[in-house]
Amino acid sequence: MRKRAISIILIIALAFPFVPGMFNTAKAEDTSYAPKVPASLPQPAKGQSVYDPQFGNTRIIRLTDRSDGPNGCVVPYSYWPIFNCNSTKYWIADPTNGQLRLYNFDPDTYTSTYVGPLNTGLDWQGLIWSYDDPNILYGLRGYYAGGNNQLCAYNVATGQLTVIHDFTASGDLPKGNPLQLSKARENDRYFSFHWKANDNSAPRYAVVYDRQLNRTYLFDASDPNNQVSYLDECRLDRDGTKLVIVTGAEFHIWDYVNDTQEIVYANFTDHAGGHYNVGNGWMANMDIYSTGNGNRTLKRWLSSPKQWIELFDSGRFANPPYSVIEWNVDHHYSIEGPNDDWMCISSRCLAGADYTKPFQNEIWLVKTDGSGQVKRLAHHRSSMADYWRSPFAQISPDGRFIAFNSDWNNPNQPQDIYIIPLDDSIWGGSSPTPTPTPTPSPGGVFNDNETGTGNNQIEYVGNWIYRTDFTSGPYQLDLHEHKNRNATDYALIRFYGTGIKIYSLLDSWNGICAISVDGGTETLVDTYSSTLQWQSLIYTRTGLPEGNHTVKIKMTNTKNPNSYDYCIFIDKFEVIASTSSPSPTPTPTPTPMPIIVNNNTTGTGNNQFEYGPTQWSWSYDNSSWCSGAYQSDLHGSQQTDAYARIRFNGTQIKLYGVKGSWFGKMGVKIDSGAETIIDCYENTQEQMQVLLYTSPVLPPGQHTLTIRSTGTKNPNSYGMWVYVDKVEIQP
């Protein structure tokens, strides 16, 4: 039952007591992959701490008890944080009736004060804090609010509810149920949810709303052309550029501005399915279609979602690597911190934990760069007796805490919320992109989509998006937009001439940028306007010496007090040329990405594997044993002088295969050169995707890599099999 009474703020002081050592955080986390048996720890009282000795004495603080909710207290899910943007407030829920309570919180002393019931009248499963306003919660109401579908903002300090957009009154949607709000985490501009009719009849929509443009985008899940089996939920990526639509198991990656989608299927090729979350231009999902170990986490880019890398595997990233077969573990993911550097994973073992294996009923962080680096924090000690006893561990938006559910392994008592303080230094920044040498070229007017590192081109660094959803207004009907508050992001224009003019969009959602020429003094430019103004001249610089110059448009993370947001737009620029221009200097050529060829790409052309001398010389294997391979398949042989050839045009090639205790020796050579013998024996369990061979740098042109099964082995090996997984070709 959802309450809609006007909130009466009751200030009842229930301050947590100060605890010695209160400022300890989780610095001493465990980075190993070893199995861990939970230590016997007493359940702490509300406001008190215990320290988990299995993970370097991670501090665990109990946040709630029966005074906060007689039926139990929960965080709603891994991607709906209970903490606000600066961890000075949080809300909790009673899962039996949806009643909410609001608290003030001191993130330095970990003390809480109960404020009162939180009667927002909004759907609590999808209640989301503002990106930068610590008092604002966003939520949805529909059928339970008389039928109109509304996106609302609720001010927890004043109790005021404001309708941001009524989708029914505007004609965007009929009356029905908007469900499970998602929001861009870098701004308060983009929102999404899925919608269904009151009687669950067709149609059913995934919805994106652009608050600045007051524009609604609908993805019709009942349209057969969209190939949706069942609309489960949808989530925006961090900056709101793309929407991930979950349809039972498949992922539909929807570019809503251009109304295009790519489908990632639930099969042994695409590896969709499983719990997921969405970062900035990428997503992670549990690989339930692995043919082997069952506990793998994949990362895929939303621009090319069928390509993926492994972020986590409880055995393969260990040192030395080993295989952990585990189908009893389920994972939930949180990428709700201040950036995407680390992802929180909480595991739950639904049929009982096997503590001879690592990462059982645990909470840990994993580095999102594919290195497999982990920071293991604690066992969550929850019985998983029902859905709400799942830990649903979530990172606070400022990265200072992880909150999770636990009944302390006692299914006969209600569950409560616990927090783990984090060392917030883990959210550090990255190195800036080097600046290439500019290329001179003539002047004129140039569009924002002239991108690159040459003259009269714009290099966009950071979170910029290219927008083409205009029928009038911008120059050439497109803009580049910066939507978050990362003050290290910028756009760089290189030109040859004596001056430049920059044009932008002015609006009530815009921020302040800093513009400088040739690394000189910055000029602050306020792009706020109470009215929408297209193609507005925001900066002019003339009288420069004739020659090559750069103009940097940098984000400042500041705005006019009257502005709603920090957006910066680039529309076009005008180069004031000299009477003559020098001869152009060639633009540096970027290093091309390697070409990856899987072992099952066969033929006699370039970038194809040819297996011989007969069709029986090599065996193709895509059984569960191969789950750790690049695409969960391998080609193997133990026949003497069986060969595999791959022809390619490039300058270098790398060969990946398998090592372990029952593998033999292979010979590898480039073109007609000398053969190198590779011993695939290693006294460990099977190791997949092992780099077996790297060629020297080759003259550009046509080459052939030949792989030969020698029919020999290390004296300690149990067999002579050799396996081919993939190659990487450098053009």
Side-chain angles (χ1 to χ4, degrees):
M1 179 181 299
R2 291 168 170 80
K3 298 284 187 180
R4 273 173 299 283
I6 298 175
S7 176
I8 301 174
I9 305 301
L10 302 176
I11 308 300
I12 302 175
L14 292 175
F16 293 174
F18 183 85
V19 180
M22 179 168 287
F23 304 102
N24 293 348
T25 60
K27 277 190 176 181
E29 72 280 333
D30 192 297
T31 59
S32 75
Y33 274 70
K36 299 283 186 178
V37 177
S40 178
L41 293 179
Q43 184 178 20
K46 174 182 173 178
Q48 300 295 320
S49 303
V50 292
Y51 296 84
D52 196 329
Q54 289 287 48
F55 303 96
N57 281 330
T58 298
R59 183 175 187 174
I60 304 172
I61 305 168
R62 186 174 178 179
L63 203 62
T64 65
D65 66 6
R66 298 295 62 76
S67 66
D68 303 293
N71 303 311
C73 306
V74 297
V75 301
Y77 204 72
S78 298
Y79 43 61
W80 288 312
I82 61 171
F83 281 101
N84 66 354
C85 61
N86 58 6
S87 293
T88 58
K89 299 180 187 296
Y90 66 85
W91 59 269
I92 64 172
D94 181 334
T96 64
N97 54 29
Q99 292 182 355
L100 310 182
R101 293 163 68 94
L102 177 68
Y103 297 79
N104 289 326
F105 185 70
D106 187 327
D108 295 320
T109 62
Y110 315 148
T111 54
S112 295
T113 304
Y114 174 53
V115 176
L118 186 59
N119 298 320
T120 66
L122 305 173
D123 182 7
W124 71 276
Q125 294 191 60
L127 207 56
I128 303 176
W129 288 101
S130 164
Y131 169 67
D132 59 358
D133 189 327
N135 292 315
I136 296 297
L137 280 165
Y138 294 102
L140 299 166
R141 60 180 183 176
Y143 175 74
Y144 298 104
N148 278 18
N149 309 278
Q150 296 176 340
L151 171 66
C152 302
Y154 181 83
N155 189 311
V156 299
T158 65
Q160 180 180 356
L161 183 70
T162 302
V163 176
I164 295 174
H165 187 68
D166 189 318
F167 296 90
T168 306
S170 65
D172 296 332
L173 289 168
K175 291 186 176 183
N177 284 311
L179 301 168
Q180 297 184 335
L181 182 66
S182 164
K183 187 179 78 68
R185 299 194 295 283
E186 295 289 358
N187 56 65
D188 290 342
R189 174 176 171 178
Y190 300 96
F191 298 82
S192 73
F193 56 91
H194 69 279
W195 178 93
K196 66 177 182 179
N198 295 334
D199 59 1
N200 288 323
S201 61
R204 194 162 182 169
Y205 295 109
V207 183
V208 175
Y209 176 64
D210 183 335
R211 187 179 177 187
Q212 178 175 340
L213 298 179
N214 190 26
R215 182 172 297 176
T216 302
Y217 304 84
L218 300 180
F219 179 95
D220 187 351
S222 58
D223 184 344
N225 294 323
N226 285 330
Q227 304 180 51
V228 175
S229 56
Y230 171 76
L231 178 55
D232 186 14
E233 62 181 47
C234 54
R235 283 188 60 72
L236 286 164
D237 68 344
R238 181 178 283 271
D239 66 2
T241 305
K242 291 189 177 181
L243 187 73
V244 176
I245 302 169
V246 181
T247 61
E250 289 85 9
F251 300 130
H252 292 240
I253 314 302
W254 186 37
D255 179 346
Y256 58 87
V257 171
N258 298 303
D259 195 21
T260 59
Q261 67 160 324
E262 185 163 359
I263 305 174
V264 185
Y265 291 98
N267 56 34
F268 291 103
T269 301
D270 288 0
H271 296 267
H275 288 134
Y276 76 105
N277 205 341
V278 188
N280 193 5
W282 62 276
M283 65 177 294
N285 71 279
M286 187 172 183
D287 184 12
I288 62 173
Y289 280 87
S290 168
T291 54
N293 61 15
N295 60 11
R296 193 164 63 167
T297 296
L298 306 180
K299 175 181 181 178
R300 61 183 81 240
W301 288 264
L302 301 184
S303 58
S304 53
K306 291 180 181 290
Q307 299 179 22
W308 50 265
I309 62 172
E310 289 186 359
L311 283 189
F312 172 78
D313 180 299
S314 62
R316 195 175 77 78
F317 287 105
N319 187 17
Y322 65 101
S323 178
V324 178
I325 308 301
E326 180 56 87
W327 288 98
N328 181 42
V329 171
D330 192 12
H331 293 163
H332 288 98
Y333 304 111
S334 175
I335 324 175
E336 274 54 50
N339 57 46
D340 288 353
D341 287 355
W342 293 88
M343 177 172 69
C344 177
I345 304 180
S346 53
S347 64
R348 57 178 186 174
C349 304
L350 300 178
D354 177 2
Y355 290 114
T356 65
K357 300 174 182 178
F359 302 95
Q360 302 273 306
N361 286 342
E362 284 188 30
I363 299 170
W364 67 97
L365 298 172
V366 62
K367 191 77 169 172
T368 60
D369 59 2
S371 64
Q373 182 181 350
V374 296
K375 296 178 181 290
R376 295 170 72 180
L377 300 173
H379 287 108
H380 54 69
R381 293 172 173 80
S382 199
S383 69
M384 260 72 65
D386 58 49
Y387 175 81
W388 289 113
R389 294 170 196 268
S390 301
F392 296 145
Q394 52 175 245
I395 306 173
S396 64
D398 61 3
R400 297 182 66 176
F401 301 96
I402 289 176
F404 64 96
N405 301 327
S406 176
D407 60 12
W408 217 253
N409 287 328
N410 184 354
N412 297 317
Q413 70 174 4
Q415 66 276 26
D416 280 296
I417 301 173
Y418 297 78
I419 60 172
I420 297 172
L422 292 177
D423 175 9
D424 55 8
S425 66
I426 66 172
W427 307 106
S430 57
S431 301
T433 304
T435 302
T437 303
T439 302
S441 58
V445 177
F446 301 93
N447 189 37
D448 65 284
N449 201 33
E450 300 285 341
T451 58
T453 57
N455 270 357
N456 301 337
Q457 294 179 329
I458 307 179
E459 178 189 5
Y460 294 98
V461 177
N463 293 306
W464 294 82
I465 64 167
Y466 177 54
R467 302 202 65 127
T468 59
D469 52 326
F470 303 99
T471 57
S472 63
Y475 178 68
Q476 296 191 6
L477 300 181
D478 62 355
L479 291 168
H480 268 78
E481 176 186 3
H482 190 277
K483 301 190 300 184
N484 67 28
R485 295 169 55 184
N486 191 342
T488 62
D489 293 358
Y490 60 90
L492 193 68
I493 302 173
R494 300 171 176 87
F495 69 96
Y496 186 95
T498 60
I500 192 167
K501 298 179 179 180
I502 300 172
Y503 295 80
S504 178
L505 160 69
L506 304 184
D507 195 13
S508 59
W509 291 74
N510 289 8
I512 297 172
C513 62
I515 302 180
S516 60
V517 175
D518 297 333
T521 303
E522 292 183 338
T523 299
L524 294 180
V525 178
D526 189 350
T527 65
Y528 166 82
S529 170
S530 60
T531 59
L532 180 63
Q533 300 181 40
W534 302 102
Q535 300 190 45
S536 296
L537 178 63
I538 64 168
Y539 181 81
T540 301
R541 181 69 182 271
T542 58
L544 297 171
E546 179 183 345
N548 286 318
H549 299 283
T550 61
V551 174
K552 188 173 188 179
I553 307 164
K554 182 177 173 291
M555 307 306 106
T556 65
N557 191 21
T558 60
K559 66 181 180 68
N560 188 298
N562 297 315
S563 179
Y564 295 112
D565 210 338
Y566 299 80
C567 298
I568 298 293
F569 293 88
I570 297 178
D571 190 352
K572 64 181 178 180
F573 63 97
E574 179 183 349
V575 173
I576 302 170
S578 59
T579 55
S580 62
S581 297
S583 301
T585 302
T587 302
T589 303
T591 302
M593 294 294 291
I595 299 167
I596 301 176
V597 182
N598 188 47
N599 70 91
N600 201 35
T601 304
T602 57
T604 57
N606 271 3
N607 303 338
Q608 296 177 329
F609 281 94
E610 175 193 4
Y611 296 99
T614 72
Q615 61 178 322
W616 313 111
S617 299
W618 291 79
S619 298
Y620 175 66
D621 191 348
N622 64 351
S623 67
S624 61
W625 176 76
C626 304
S627 65
Y630 171 60
Q631 290 188 359
S632 300
D633 61 356
L634 296 164
H635 269 79
S637 180
Q638 61 177 348
Q639 176 183 314
T640 302
D641 292 333
Y643 64 81
R645 295 193 184 105
I646 183 165
R647 301 163 179 88
F648 65 98
N649 192 304
T651 59
Q652 193 172 48
I653 191 167
K654 296 179 180 180
L655 170 66
Y656 292 80
V658 185
K659 281 194 170 186
S661 58
W662 49 282
F663 300 116
K665 297 181 179 181
M666 66 169 60
V668 180
K669 69 176 182 179
I670 295 290
D671 300 329
S672 57
E675 186 178 70
T676 299
I677 300 299
I678 307 295
D679 190 351
C680 298
Y681 166 80
E682 196 159 292
N683 187 23
T684 63
Q685 296 187 44
E686 295 81 24
Q687 300 179 51
M688 300 289 179
Q689 297 190 53
V690 177
L691 177 60
L692 299 177
Y693 172 77
T694 301
S695 77
V697 176
L698 306 169
Q702 192 69 28
H703 300 282
T704 302
L705 172 69
T706 302
I707 304 153
R708 182 176 68 90
S709 171
T710 66
T712 61
K713 66 180 185 70
N714 187 299
N716 296 316
S717 178
Y718 298 108
M720 294 181 292
W721 283 92
V722 295
Y723 284 90
V724 175
D725 186 355
K726 65 177 179 180
V727 294
E728 290 183 1
I729 299 165
Q730 187 64 49

